[in-house]
Structure formats: C-alpha cells, structure tokens
Amino acid sequence: QAQITTFIVVRHAEKMADGSKNPELSPEGKKRADALAKILNKLEINKIYSTNYARTQQTVQPIAQAKGLTINEYEAKPQAEFFQKLLQENEGKTVLIVGHSNTVNEILNILTQTQKYKPLEDSEYQHIFIVAKAKNGDAQVLNWNYGF
C-alpha cells in the first residue's frame, strides 16, 4: 500500500498596506490566521514551513503554537528539489506550507507535476489547498475556501 503524504498549502493572510517590503498582518489577517488555526487544529500536522516574511510567519504562528511545532523556513522562490526532499523526509505525514500569491501556484505545480495552477489574485486569501501525494508521484488536490 502506497504511503500518502499530505501537503496543506495556503497563502499568507491579509497584510498591512504600509508600503514596506515586509508588512505584518492586518487586523483582518490576524483574524484569518486564528480561523486557519481553528480549522487545522483537529488535523495531525507534523511540520510547518514558511518563508521568512513577517506575514507568512504570522499566518501560521497560531497553529504552530497550538500544536507545539517549530516554524521551519524555506526560500521564497519554490525549488522542485526542496519539495522532493520534503516529500522524502515526510513520507506518510502532513506538512503545512504557507506561501504568497505568486508562489502558492508554483508549489502546487511542483507537487502535482503539472502547470495548471496560476498565481492567486491579490484579493484571494481564502484558499486551503490539500494535496494528497502518493509515492509514485500521483497527486490529488482539494481546494477548500474558508472564511471567518
């Protein structure tokens, strides 16, 4: 029986419009991060990965804290080799990855070995993509929207 590895891929929550290159979450974004933590709290999550930006780190901080997990950092530009290694190291486990509007699609394309996912619109924060990846490379994706 093939081991299924589950990747939960989300975009960071709403950010402050302060003109900086590394804005923190807005009050609405903090509410979304808390909602994400409540949604994911009943799932077994083995690892959490975030880019080193404040908005991505803050998006997964509530769930990391609830699960007692460390937030591991990865490069903002997704690399296929990194995700292959992640798959090997976490076979049969569940990994939460937070990215950006222009990287969530790249992560999904790498994990599914397709080119069908496009960048998210600036206003799209509500998606939770659940990727069930088999060892043989087959992948199924569920796109679930969440609000708060």
Side-chain angles (χ1 to χ4, degrees), residues 14-27 54-55 58:
E14 292 86 341
K15 61 187 176 184
M16 297 287 284
D18 63 6
S20 75
K21 291 185 186 236
N22 193 15
E24 296 194 357
L25 292 183
S26 67
R55 59 193 176 273
Q58 291 171 355

Side-chain angles (χ1 to χ4, degrees), residues 9-14 32 36 39 120-129 143-148:
V9 184
V10 299
R11 178 189 179 191
H12 63 77
E14 292 86 341
R32 185 173 300 279
L36 180 67
I39 290 166
L120 298 173
E121 297 293 329
D122 283 343
S123 61
E124 291 183 280
Y125 295 96
Q126 75 278 12
H127 299 283
I128 299 175
F129 296 96
N143 178 3
W144 186 49
N145 292 335
Y146 74 107
F148 54 94

Side-chain angles (χ1 to χ4, degrees), residues 1-7 46 85-95 133-135:
Q1 181 176 347
Q3 284 275 31
I4 301 295
T5 304
T6 304
F7 292 93
N46 304 98
K85 184 179 175 195
L86 204 60
L87 181 60
Q88 291 169 351
E89 291 175 352
N90 296 284
E91 186 177 342
K93 297 181 180 177
T94 300
V95 179
K133 178 103 172 149
K135 193 171 185 174

Side-chain angles (χ1 to χ4, degrees), residues 91-118:
E91 186 177 342
K93 297 181 180 177
T94 300
V95 179
L96 172 60
I97 304 168
V98 60
H100 304 266
S101 62
N102 62 346
T103 65
V104 165
N105 64 304
E106 292 180 27
I107 294 166
L108 294 171
N109 286 332
I110 289 168
L111 292 174
T112 61
Q113 299 173 328
T114 67
Q115 289 300 312
K116 70 182 190 177
Y117 295 94
K118 306 294 179 221

